[in-house]
Amino acid sequence: MTVHPRGTHLDVLAVGVTYRDLIFTGLERLPRLGEENHAVAFHETWGGIATMARVSRALGRRSALCTPLGDDPMSARLVADMADQGIDTALSRVHQGWRLPVTVALSTASDRAMTTVEEPPPHGVSEHLDAHEVTASSIIVDLRDPALPWLTRARTAGSKVYASRGFDATGRWDREALGEAGICDVWMLNELEAMAFTGASDATQAARRLAEHVPLVVVTRGADGMVAVDAATGEEAAVSAFPVRATGTTGAGDSSLASFAFANGLPGLSLAERLDLTCFVVSAILSRPLGAADPPSADELIRLAERHPDQRARGIAVSLASRGAQG
């Protein structure tokens, strides 16, 4: 493994598992058991944590990906593809005899269903980072992985930690996850997940309960937008989504977290404005033929915002133009 020279600084370090995603898009509805239906298009991409690194890089941030790699051809291809996009993989660890997990996704305009083949990496996702000095303005992690000393050190040194949690396939929605939430600055999860963890009846109530454990909580609501609670300032915000005709929604959640990490670093924005910017970026991603596999650049987003009919878009164009001031 190549080690970053001392003093190397990243804007974003994305830490987690990458999936080889095989995505069928444009389905009118998901097939019933025993039924065959037809998609409009198919594409292959790198999902999971790689989506967050890819979106961050498209937004102009110096990005690195720390992800388990195998000794299989797909892992080698992942490293090559990330290098082509300007994403550093030097902090990723190779696990001999292991293969990247694979997900097949069936995607409609409003939802998706997925099937995954996956084995945990034999030596964990990020334990090896304990031996390295990690410096990044933003670190994106998955709360399903255990909190480790390297992450605490990085946060103490000034890194802002953004966390996702993901769907609990066991159905337990273990409250121990709320304890793990204490190691992050921002926790983003969807409405179903937020209500399942807290027992709340709506997204806003769930965000308020989660904000007892995390400084800033963002709950995504799909086509209904986002809500957030900032425990540090007492600020709350709820914004609507930007309408979009999407061929698929795979990668929307990962794109949302990377986009919010970008928006949260821009100066002078209220919580509602940061959510608006996040929703706009995600809508632009979902409107593209390849979705999260081909996110737009910040310059492309400015052009889209300048001609967008929603009055919020004018402020978004200004915020994006100010991104040079982002630390």
Side-chain angles (χ1 to χ4, degrees):
M1 182 185 71
T2 302
V3 178
H4 287 282
R6 184 176 295 274
T8 298
H9 182 77
L10 298 164
D11 291 326
V12 178
L13 173 62
V15 183
V17 176
T18 295
Y19 295 81
R20 181 188 176 198
D21 281 356
L22 309 176
I23 303 172
F24 295 82
T25 62
L27 289 161
E28 291 187 5
R29 59 176 176 79
L30 298 177
R32 301 184 184 92
L33 192 64
E35 180 184 36
E36 178 184 5
N37 59 12
H38 292 81
V40 171
F42 166 83
H43 66 269
E44 180 179 354
T45 187
W46 305 110
I49 201 69
T51 297
M52 304 191 196
R54 189 167 53 241
V55 171
S56 298
R57 185 70 190 106
L59 289 168
R61 307 190 76 190
R62 292 164 297 190
S63 303
L65 175 66
C66 174
T67 192
L69 300 170
D71 52 5
D72 58 314
M74 288 299 105
S75 293
R77 201 175 108 194
L78 168 63
V79 171
D81 286 352
M82 293 297 102
D84 287 345
Q85 296 174 50
I87 297 170
D88 190 342
T89 57
L91 288 174
S92 295
R93 182 180 185 179
V94 175
H95 302 263
Q96 299 296 321
W98 186 75
R99 293 174 177 267
L100 288 180
V102 179
T103 294
V104 174
L106 303 178
S107 193
T108 70
S110 60
D111 210 341
R112 77 280 188 274
M114 299 181 289
T115 298
T116 297
V117 176
E118 178 179 12
E119 290 185 7
H123 304 294
V125 173
S126 66
E127 284 89 338
H128 62 287
L129 293 182
D130 282 339
H132 301 290
E133 182 179 335
V134 178
T135 306
S137 296
S138 302
I139 298 176
I140 301 175
V141 297
D142 189 330
L143 280 181
R144 288 174 295 187
D145 301 322
L148 295 170
W150 72 266
L151 187 59
T152 302
R153 290 199 309 269
R155 192 178 179 210
T156 300
S159 296
K160 192 172 290 291
V161 177
Y162 296 80
S164 63
R165 175 56 174 80
F167 185 78
D168 186 350
T170 68
R172 292 194 301 266
W173 302 101
D174 201 325
R175 291 299 181 93
E176 290 181 6
L178 300 182
E180 288 292 291
I183 54 87
C184 68
D185 299 283
V186 179
W187 188 8
M188 178 180 283
L189 62 174
N190 67 36
E191 187 172 21
L192 181 154
E193 294 159 353
M195 292 191 297
F197 276 120
T198 61
S201 59
D202 62 68
T204 300
Q205 185 184 55
R208 288 170 180 161
R209 292 182 184 179
L210 292 170
E212 297 172 5
H213 305 271
V214 182
L216 177 54
V217 174
V218 181
V219 179
T220 62
R221 305 183 64 216
D224 293 324
M226 297 180 177
V227 301
V229 175
D230 188 331
T233 65
E235 191 175 6
E236 295 187 9
V239 304
S240 58
F242 288 81
V244 61
R245 180 172 294 177
T247 57
T249 56
T250 303
D254 295 333
S255 299
S256 297
L257 183 53
S259 299
F260 185 78
F262 170 78
N264 203 42
L266 295 179
L269 299 186
S270 68
L271 183 56
E273 289 169 333
R274 282 172 273 160
L275 294 182
D276 279 337
L277 176 52
T278 301
C279 287
F280 185 79
V281 175
V282 174
S283 71
I285 289 171
L286 294 180
S287 69
R288 295 165 76 88
L290 297 181
D294 179 34
S297 68
D299 288 338
E300 289 177 283
L301 289 166
I302 290 173
R303 292 193 289 272
L304 288 171
E306 288 174 339
R307 61 176 186 265
H308 200 282
D310 193 307
Q311 62 180 3
R312 295 176 292 171
R314 296 174 191 167
I316 287 169
V318 172
S319 298
L320 287 167
S322 74
R323 67 190 184 279
Q326 184 178 11

